[in-house]
């Protein structure tokens, strides 16, 4: 039988996992911003 306590425990596990993965995100976000770079003007012919 699946109880409220079991559901709550699973929710906490998922929350902890999400918080752990979020801790690594800022460095990845900075790398993505850096690789995108500034917009360039179209090439002149």
């Amino acid at each position: 039988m699946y109880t409220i306590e079991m559901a709550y425990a699973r929710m906490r596990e998922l929350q902890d996992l999400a918080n752990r993965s979020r801790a690594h995100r800022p460095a990845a976000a900075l790398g993505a911003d850096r690789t995108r770079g500034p917009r360039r003007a179209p090439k002149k012919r």
Side-chain angles (χ1 to χ4, degrees):
M1 191 164 123
Y2 197 70
T3 64
I4 293 291
E5 288 81 11
M6 292 166 69
Y8 184 74
R10 180 67 178 143
M11 185 186 71
R12 291 298 304 162
E13 287 175 13
L14 292 173
Q15 194 77 39
D16 291 344
L17 187 64
N19 288 338
R20 250 181 278 137
S21 66
R22 191 179 301 143
H24 298 291
R25 192 169 294 161
L30 286 174
D33 289 342
R34 213 177 308 119
T35 56
R36 188 166 56 220
R39 287 188 179 169
R40 296 186 190 131
K43 290 184 178 178
K44 294 180 181 175
R45 294 184 192 180

